[in-house]
Amino acid sequence: MSKRHLFNSPDGLVNKALRGIITYNPSLSLDEANRVVYDTTYDTNKVSIISGGGSGHEPAWAGYVGSNMLAASVQGDIFASPSTKQILAGVEAVPSNKGTILVITNYTGDCLHFGLAKEKANARGHNCRIIICGDDVSVGRKGSMVGRRGLAGQIAVLKVMGGAAGAGASLDDVHHLGVAFSQQIVSMAATLDHCHVPGRTEHGMLNEDEVEIGTGPHNEPGYRKLSPAPSPPELIKQVLTHCLDENDPERGYVKFAPGDEAILLASNFGGMSHLEMGALVDELLEQLEREWKMEPVRVCAGFLETSLNAPAFSVSVINVTAAAKNCKYSIEEIKSFFDARTSTHWESMAGSQAKRRSRKEQLAPAPKEEPKKTVHEKRDMKIEAALLETMLRNACTQLVEAEPDLTKWDTIMGDGDCGETLKTGATELLAALDRGLAKSGSVVKVLLELEDIVESKMGGTLGGILGIFFVSLRNAVECNVDMAGAEGPVALWAKSLSTALASLRQYTPAKVGDRTVMDTLIPFADAMSKSGFNDGVQAAIDGAEATKGMTPKLGRATYVGAGLSDSQELPPDPGAWGAMVAIRGLQSVWT
């Protein structure tokens, strides 16, 4: 796989791409600040459907905004979920009198950010629901706390829901249809090589005689490497067997009775030729008929949900008959929703060009900045300004310096965005310090700035976790600030950290031993409450080090656990290590 790109840096690439993508449909507008693409002609008296996720999967999701499909989409950085703030902007862009449904794939960062956005949207008066789609059978039932991850099967969910919403269906009916349909999908991917992300040095290439099955769409290593590479018929046979063998206790997620009507999706990950995709579809249909007595009633193939330039594909089979049994709609009605014409990439990237709008008209004005939260002096904690600034600068500088290692480790076990996410946050905080953030010595002011940085600039799973953590930490400091005078600042921090972690546990089941950032944060808080800051830092260091020997139980690293040998040495968890680097950076100045 070539590492060459026309645009060799990811800086500004997502926004530039969105500005170009929307031109195929003159009804679309772009809120560039929040990376929200929305349909200016959507009907407020119909259910609004919104989806989104990391960039690099184009045409998902901006390419599916239009009539009878999405009212809006929200894009994050490459392979990283958008922030809660961005998603809320998407909901606000297409308010509906009937209600809004957020439809996402099952990745921890997306679940955190879209889940929080749903709660905030409902608090603002929107009737908002969420559907989380997981269709990848490479994730078996055993040993996974997060369930199946999402592949291109989600696009079919968006299509039938969009058709139903366009026909005027109620919020309940569209939601029930989406849930029923999403639960009847089995998918699996295979790749000849991993994609290369612009600006990254790490790649994780496959050998020439290898093919990987169970590939993730974010460059996660697959379920199994096959060497020597099987023939195309044998590879497709293995993929279909994993999807359709109902006797497999790990992967028999969907049952197909004789005569059940099915839909087939074949998604090009970005690097397959049209020639080979045509041959792939032919082989799929031959084997489905010969081996599985199945003739799909609908077939869709092409660039449905890509992974940059990966020479890979995914296969999805959907039981329409079973879906109809679990909602109010008949098989024929579901097929009619699937067939509904749209103004999106689903029909053609040419779109409707009859009525052009200028590019300037399609770019929405930047939204007004929300007023910053104020610091209440009586609830603030103050420390010596020079010390505060030096501590923060040291922690940020060390995080920036650690980015190459964090990215390398996350490329091995995840999607490679952890280092960049933390570097972005650190760089933004350094810029705020340059503007005088620490001059007043206000700890609460710093925490408010961190909240804003995380919410606005840091997507992905780690961004979601840190967003909840810093909001809860700031609230806890304000509520318990009197402890600083009575028991000392260490007692205040210990209490506040424990409170913040308790809030975080409402959104993630992660605990010590699961190989996540919690392996650093929990020991740090526990030790600090018992014996002070220095022991807390040492506990954080020990916790991060311990992740080297842990089996992943949460997050994207879970999906590749089955493909690792017992003797394979793992790097530390990048989130846990990054948190430790920041904490250790604070200590080097504090002491």
Side-chain angles (χ1 to χ4, degrees), residues 27 51 75 120 178 206 213 219 335-336 441 475-476 487 545 563:
S27 296
S51 190
Q75 301 288 145
K120 291 189 174 185
L206 296 181
I213 60 173
N219 248 0
K335 288 192 292 186
S336 72
N475 286 331
E487 302 177 45
E545 287 280 357

Side-chain angles (χ1 to χ4, degrees), residues 144-164:
S144 175
M145 298 171 64
V146 295
R148 293 192 286 164
R149 63 183 166 194
L151 289 175
Q154 186 222 16
I155 308 304
V157 180
L158 301 180
K159 189 65 179 67
V160 296
M161 289 181 67

